[in-house]
């Protein structure tokens, strides 16, 4: 047993299942000798058999619902020493990449690997955040992503000189989601939404004795979703989010406003992405919407921003509203740009 009751089952010294204290199975590994046959996590299966990928070379297939969705670079599963490269991360079902990385961190920790490095083309901000859920590093996000565009352009496979020390989290299933714990609760996922301490809209608020998953816009709490004890036990909720009504829902941002926001967003994203951010925010439609626990989203129809930002912040002044919109859009714009770059390189 571990700090929060997770059970690690093994056979012949090889990890076979990760089961939390509620009995929920978070990972299943099957082996042929010391070679991985398959890793199953919620939403995805990684095949241990190696194939040849045109960009990655030796690789493992990642499947969803019986269909291959992308590949990842081959690793030594019995004793991982490198963080794998995923050819098309955007094709993996939402929420499946993090448990794969957590299993890799767990396998490395169990076999005494002191640190792993990433040797791939996509040192993105999203990957950095995913890795920090299962590893620790003394480096910064800026250092990790410094040459992201250059590496993607040349399909780089040399190691980035940044160590990631295995520090896997424990997952505890709760109604409609799970909690991630290391030294206490670090993240709560409910209905696919991650609540974290520094969240923009979906926020994890702690007072020491309990942790509350809440939705915030500006300095105002919009909704209380759930309350958890420090060990991840669900004390209250999850409560459904009520539909949000506003006169601005469905209205599009005029071109002049998009152009002004483009400058602010370009200052809020990493410098590498700034030129592309100006272009995409100016060119793509932006509309007001009811986005539940999300401040902003992006799809084929363009960007959407939660109407609560208008209702809560516009009365405080348009300058403050513009800054809030840029803050909400920046991570979504960065993710959209990164996804398009990755698609072009696949």
């Amino acid at each position: 047993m571990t700090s929060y009751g997770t059970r690690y089952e093994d056979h012949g010294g090889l990890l076979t299942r990760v089961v939390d204290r509620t009995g929920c199975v978070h990972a299943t590994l099957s082996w042929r000798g010391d070679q991985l046959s398959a890793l199953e996590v919620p939403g995805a299966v990684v095949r241990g058999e190696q194939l040849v990928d045109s960009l990655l070379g030796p690789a493992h297939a990642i499947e969803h619902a019986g269909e291959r969705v992308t590949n990842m670079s081959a690793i030594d599963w019995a004793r991982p020493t490198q963080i794998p490269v995923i050819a098309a991360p955007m094709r993996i079902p939402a929420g499946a990449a993090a448990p794969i990385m957590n299993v890799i961190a767990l396998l490395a920790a169990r076999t005494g690997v002191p640190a792993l490095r990433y040797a791939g083309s996509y040192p993105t901000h999203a990957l950095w955040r995913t890795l920090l859920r299962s590893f620790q590093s003394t480096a910064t996000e800026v250092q990790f992503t410094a040459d992201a565009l250059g590496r993607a352009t040349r399909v780089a496979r040399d190691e980035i000189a940044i160590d990631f020390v295995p520090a896997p989290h424990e997952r505890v299933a709760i109604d409609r989601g799970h909690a991630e714990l290391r030294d206490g609760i670090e993240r709560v996922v409910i209905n696919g939404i991650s609540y974290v301490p520094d969240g923009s809209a979906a926020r994890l608020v702690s007072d020491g004795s309990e942790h509350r998953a809440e939705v915030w816009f500006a300095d105002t709490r919009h909704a209380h979703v759930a309350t958890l004890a420090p060990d991840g036990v669900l004390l209250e909720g999850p409560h459904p989010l009520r539909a949000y009504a506003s006169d601005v829902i469905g209205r599009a941002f005029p071109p002049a406003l998009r152009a002004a926001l483009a400058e602010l967003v370009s200052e809020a994203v990493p410098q590498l992405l700034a030129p592309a951010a100006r272009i995409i925010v100016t060119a793509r439609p932006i509309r007001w919407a009811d986005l539940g626990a999300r401040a902003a989203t992006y799809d084929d129809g363009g960007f959407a921003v939660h109407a609560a930002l208008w209702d809560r912040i516009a009365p405080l002044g348009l300058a403050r509203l513009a800054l809030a919109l840029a803050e909400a859009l920046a991570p979504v714009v960065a993710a959209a740009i990164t996804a398009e770059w990755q698609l072009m390189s696949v």
Side-chain angles (χ1 to χ4, degrees), residues 292-327:
R294 292 183 170 91
T297 61
Y298 178 72
D299 57 27
D300 292 340
F303 296 99
V305 179
H306 203 298
L309 289 171
W310 169 265
D311 295 332
R312 301 286 175 84
I313 304 177
L316 304 178
L318 294 182
R320 185 167 177 181
L321 174 64
L323 291 174
L325 290 173
E327 179 184 358

Side-chain angles (χ1 to χ4, degrees), residues 96-115:
I100 292 173
M101 293 300 174
N102 200 57
V103 167
I104 292 171
L106 178 60
L107 293 170
R110 284 167 58 92
T111 52
V113 176

Side-chain angles (χ1 to χ4, degrees), residues 2-6 8 102 168-172 179-182:
T2 57
S3 299
Y4 301 101
T6 301
Y8 299 121
N102 200 57
H169 63 259
E170 294 185 53
R171 290 192 170 206
V172 177
E180 296 179 11
L181 305 99
R182 285 190 286 198

Side-chain angles (χ1 to χ4, degrees), residues 87-99:
M90 76 295 296
R91 295 177 182 168
I92 298 178

